[in-house]
Amino acid sequence: MESALLFLLGVVVIVVGLAVSIGLHELGHLSFAKLFGVKVTQYFVGFGRTIWSRKKGETEWGFKWIPLGGYIAMTGMFPPAPAGRSGKRTWVQRLVDSARQSSAETVQPGEEGRTFSSKAPWQRIIIMLGGPVANLLIAVVLIFVIGVGIGVPSASTTLASVAECLKPASASTSATCSSGDPAAPAAVAGLRAGDRIVSVDGAPITSWDQLSTLIQGAPGKALSVTVDRAGQNIPLTVTPELSQKQVADASGHLTTIEAGVIGISPGEMYVRQSPVTVLPMTGRALQQITGVVLDLPSRMVQVWNAAFSSAPRDPNGPVGLIGVGRFAGDTAANTALPVLDRLSWLLNILATLNLSLFVFNLIPLLPLDGGHVLGALWEWVKRGFFAVFRRGAKAKPVDMAKLMPLTAVVVTVLIAMELLLAYADLVKPVTAG
């Protein structure tokens, strides 16, 4: 019962956190729209049927049932249709005309100057970037709380375990000792799990990296080790043996080297970071998420193969909302982890979601924010060109309504991707840990 409640709590935390993130995203759009005088008639979190709404001033505020996004309704998203067009219209032209007509119907007489399309390109860019930047700021705040408030997990000099024997680097960590395996020097010396290494040969030990470097560089050499065991300093002597050891290089790839080993593994501690590390941490996370988004087509093929065959699911691949919710629930319900670990994981999930919203919404395709930004940038360049090379001529507004057929394709692809991820999350989920 407790596990089920914790699972539900984890899901609720993520759902509420996602709703708040979406709400602040839309609030970012709305704030700048109102700042530049654009009329905003609706602000909603979610899609589908309305749960609750209230009109304040000229804007209706509310929530809808399906928490897959949100929107604000700005008047006059598209410029008026060019005059004088007639004749037979293709289905593409009819779709464009329908979008223009729907946009025109939102504009009240005398409010033509309050439409989105009437604003300067730089203003439209700021309005559309207001949403993604809000998600970026949320992520920065969450990473600050994680890094500075909670701390980043780091190997400590307190021993988590002491091996009974030395195994080859390629052996499974769960492999049991056999009669032919040499005894681990740490066990022979009397080291125990829970001991904290205080000094080696009289040199104070302040980090696991320092301890590991000393051991690796001293195969066959007797080391005087002092450990703190239940508040008492106990002197021991341990002699590292030359053996194979796996280490990670700067890019995270494991390589096998020969070095001194004694058969110990570190415990884990949280090390609070300086505030100046928050932006570099955010940058590294952004770089990783951007790589995933850029590689999304091939990753979705992998998700398809995993969902409809015996192929494994990539644990670092994309997941849908069901997968995120399940991961959050599993993390919250894992009582083997300390509460601080679980809290850190949940905040990490929310930070990753917000960074993903930031990156994904900057894709330069309608209906995403990046599509509107690209259109405004193109109009800005176009106006500059006319001002320099065609003096006296006025550049026409970029007609984003012409992209509605492509927008329909993009929406269809996005829905198909979310459905595929939902199915894969059900039949072959990515689990926590």
Side-chain angles (χ1 to χ4, degrees):
M1 183 64 178
E2 180 187 1
S3 179
L5 289 175
L6 288 173
F7 183 92
L8 181 61
L9 176 63
V11 174
V12 169
V13 167
I14 293 302
V15 171
V16 172
L18 181 59
V20 171
S21 300
I22 292 170
L24 292 175
H25 175 103
E26 298 305 329
L27 194 61
H29 290 313
L30 180 139
S31 299
F32 286 107
K34 287 187 174 290
L35 177 66
F36 296 135
V38 178
K39 184 176 181 180
V40 181
T41 57
Q42 288 185 316
Y43 167 97
F44 273 92
V45 175
F47 298 113
R49 294 185 61 182
T50 300
I51 301 174
W52 172 89
S53 72
R54 177 175 296 175
K55 190 164 186 179
K56 185 176 180 180
E58 62 188 14
T59 306
E60 180 185 9
W61 305 71
F63 298 91
K64 293 179 180 287
W65 275 109
I66 306 173
L68 295 179
Y71 66 93
I72 64 169
M74 294 181 284
T75 60
M77 289 296 295
F78 302 122
R85 290 191 176 181
S86 61
K88 188 176 180 180
R89 314 292 285 167
T90 65
W91 71 270
V92 172
Q93 292 166 327
R94 289 195 297 270
L95 181 61
V96 173
D97 289 342
S98 176
R100 287 201 191 101
Q101 181 63 27
S102 297
S103 174
E105 290 173 354
T106 66
V107 183
Q108 299 296 322
E111 294 185 343
E112 291 80 7
R114 297 192 63 196
T115 64
F116 175 77
S117 60
S118 70
K119 299 302 173 182
W122 67 268
Q123 292 175 317
R124 279 180 274 153
I125 290 171
I126 292 175
I127 291 170
M128 299 316 298
L129 288 179
V133 169
N135 292 123
L136 178 61
L137 293 177
I138 295 169
V140 170
V141 170
L142 290 171
I143 291 172
F144 180 91
V145 172
I146 295 166
V148 179
I150 298 175
V152 175
S154 177
S156 74
T157 58
T158 299
L159 306 184
S161 63
V162 176
E164 295 181 5
C165 63
L166 295 182
K167 306 290 292 185
S170 58
S172 168
T173 55
S174 61
T176 57
C177 295
S178 62
S179 57
D181 294 326
V188 173
L191 286 165
R192 302 177 187 174
D195 287 349
R196 181 173 66 87
I197 309 295
V198 176
S199 66
V200 174
D201 284 347
I205 299 299
T206 58
S207 70
W208 175 260
D209 287 342
Q210 178 194 10
L211 174 63
S212 182
T213 300
L214 286 172
I215 294 172
Q216 290 179 32
K221 177 184 176 182
L223 300 176
S224 298
V225 177
T226 300
V227 302
D228 180 340
R229 180 179 298 165
Q232 285 188 319
N233 282 350
I234 300 175
L236 300 170
T237 300
V238 61
T239 303
E241 288 199 17
L242 185 65
S243 183
Q244 290 185 336
K245 179 182 177 68
Q246 285 190 328
V247 296
D249 59 21
S251 60
H253 297 104
L254 291 176
T255 57
T256 301
I257 64 171
E258 286 196 340
V261 297
I262 62 174
I264 57 175
S265 60
E268 191 173 78
M269 60 184 294
Y270 281 91
V271 179
R272 291 185 177 181
Q273 305 297 299
S274 166
V276 300
T277 65
V278 172
L279 291 182
M281 289 169 65
T282 304
R284 288 192 294 271
L286 263 178
Q287 184 179 15
Q288 184 178 12
I289 291 170
T290 302
V292 172
V293 171
L294 292 176
D295 196 33
L296 200 55
S298 65
R299 289 176 180 267
M300 292 305 298
V301 170
Q302 195 279 334
V303 172
W304 174 279
N305 292 336
F308 297 101
S309 73
S310 58
R313 183 90 181 264
D314 181 4
N316 297 314
V319 295
L321 290 179
I322 293 176
V324 172
R326 173 176 279 173
F327 190 88
D330 288 342
T331 299
N334 187 359
T335 54
L337 291 175
V339 173
L340 204 60
D341 282 28
R342 286 179 276 172
L343 175 61
S344 180
W345 268 106
L346 290 175
L347 293 178
N348 262 303
I349 293 171
L350 287 174
T352 301
L353 281 173
N354 275 279
L355 289 176
S356 299
L357 287 171
F358 171 75
V359 173
F360 194 76
N361 273 286
L362 292 182
I363 294 175
L365 292 172
L366 291 178
L368 301 174
D369 299 331
H372 291 285
V373 170
L374 181 63
L377 281 173
W378 174 240
E379 184 170 326
W380 204 351
V381 171
K382 186 178 176 182
R383 288 186 181 186
F385 176 83
F386 270 64
V388 174
F389 297 104
R390 302 184 64 178
R391 295 177 183 179
K394 185 177 180 181
K396 295 180 180 179
V398 172
D399 192 357
M400 298 296 287
K402 292 181 178 180
L403 297 179
M404 289 310 295
L406 176 61
T407 303
V409 173
V410 173
V411 170
T412 302
V413 170
L414 292 177
I415 293 174
M417 286 171 52
E418 185 56 43
L419 290 175
L420 173 59
L421 288 171
Y423 178 75
D425 290 339
L426 289 172
V427 301
K428 195 171 287 185
V430 175
T431 57

